[in-house]
Structure formats: C-alpha cells, structure tokens
Amino acid sequence: MTARPGISAFFLAGGLLALADQAIKRLVTANFVLGESLALIPGFLSLTYIRNRGGAFGIFTGFPPMWGRLFFVAATLAALVFVYYLYRYKPPESAYGRLALVLIFGGGLGNLVDRVLLGEVVDFVDVYLGSHHWPAFNLADSGISVGVVLLALDVIRRPGD
C-alpha cells in the first residue's frame, strides 16, 4: 500500500498554479480590450482576450447565463472534491500520477475563480494555422489537459493497480 502523500504540498502546488493563472488573466484583462489580439508568432500563436461562458471547446455556451454559471461552478466543485479524494485516499503510486492530480486540481481551481467572480472563464492563448483556430485556452486549461494526459499515461502504464 502506498503511503498517503502530503496534503499541504497538494494544496500549495495547486494553489500556486491557480494563482499564476489568475495573475496572467488579470494582466490580460487589464491590458487588452475584449477581442483584442497580439501576434506572438505570426500565423501560429497570438495572445487574444476572449471570454468563454461554456466549458471546454465552448460546449454548453448556449445555457442561460445563470444556469450555466451554476452548472459549471457545481461541476467544478464536484471535480475538485473528487480529485482531492483521489490524491488523499487513493493516491497514484507514481510521482507522475500525483503531479497529474495536482495539475488538474490547480487548473480547476483557477477556472473556478473566474466562474464565481465573472460567470465565465477568461481565455488568452490562441493557437492557429492560417484561418484554422484551436479553441482559445488559458493556463488553468493547460494544467487540466496536461494533468489528464499524465494521469492517463500513468493508468496505462500501471493497468493492474
């Protein structure tokens, strides 16, 4: 049986990711008007101030604003509790698996702050090739995505656990 990992490191690392995400979002909102864009790598990457009322890839954007806000706040809180439970009571044996849960938690927390304060999420990373754009995202989304991939790889690597 794996010893329970330190919970203070989990909250500290997750909190730092959420704090970094919020700091970047505040810089973007303070220095750009909604829809404004700055090409960082022309033809591929821009810093673009966008707001997303929906979920990943803009799903459920059509929800009425209050219902969407309540849905995403509740869903995010449930996900955060579940990730905490996994980390605390069913921790992955590998450091990669534990890091994955921290990234998912920190990313979820960063986007939760936006949902509670703004009713939507601030996105700013715009990756594209010509006129083909990947949905805009933020640091919190990156943490969640990288965490999910790491967790999946950890599960695939250790299928018997």
Side-chain angles (χ1 to χ4, degrees):
M1 177 165 173
T2 305
R4 289 185 185 164
I7 204 64
S8 57
F10 173 80
F11 285 119
L12 178 63
L16 287 174
L17 175 59
L19 186 62
D21 173 68
Q22 287 296 305
I24 295 169
K25 288 173 179 175
R26 296 308 156 244
L27 284 170
V28 169
T29 59
N31 293 290
F32 286 76
V33 295
L34 191 60
E36 184 178 358
S37 187
L38 171 67
L40 300 176
I41 303 173
F44 181 70
L45 177 68
S46 291
L47 187 64
T48 304
Y49 175 23
I50 296 171
R51 289 191 175 211
N52 178 9
R53 281 191 314 149
F57 307 107
I59 61 170
F60 303 126
T61 302
F63 274 11
M66 184 50 102
W67 286 109
R69 185 180 202 168
L70 290 173
F71 171 78
F72 285 112
V73 166
T76 303
L77 285 171
L80 290 174
V81 168
F82 181 67
V83 169
Y84 168 76
Y85 169 81
L86 290 176
Y87 189 90
R88 184 69 175 141
Y89 299 104
K90 304 280 186 187
E93 288 184 25
S94 76
Y96 292 112
R98 291 187 301 275
L99 173 62
L101 294 176
V102 168
L103 290 172
I104 294 167
F105 186 85
L109 190 59
N111 280 340
L112 177 64
V113 170
D114 280 7
R115 296 261 183 225
V116 169
L117 296 179
L118 307 171
E120 55 196 0
V121 172
V122 172
D123 288 326
F124 51 86
V125 180
D126 184 17
V127 178
Y128 56 96
L129 191 55
S131 63
H132 303 286
H133 286 253
W134 183 259
F137 58 97
N138 57 47
L139 183 61
D141 297 335
S142 297
I144 294 166
S145 298
V146 170
V148 167
V149 168
L150 284 176
L151 192 59
L153 291 172
D154 190 60
V155 168
I156 290 168
R157 213 177 97 215
R158 300 175 186 274
D161 291 343

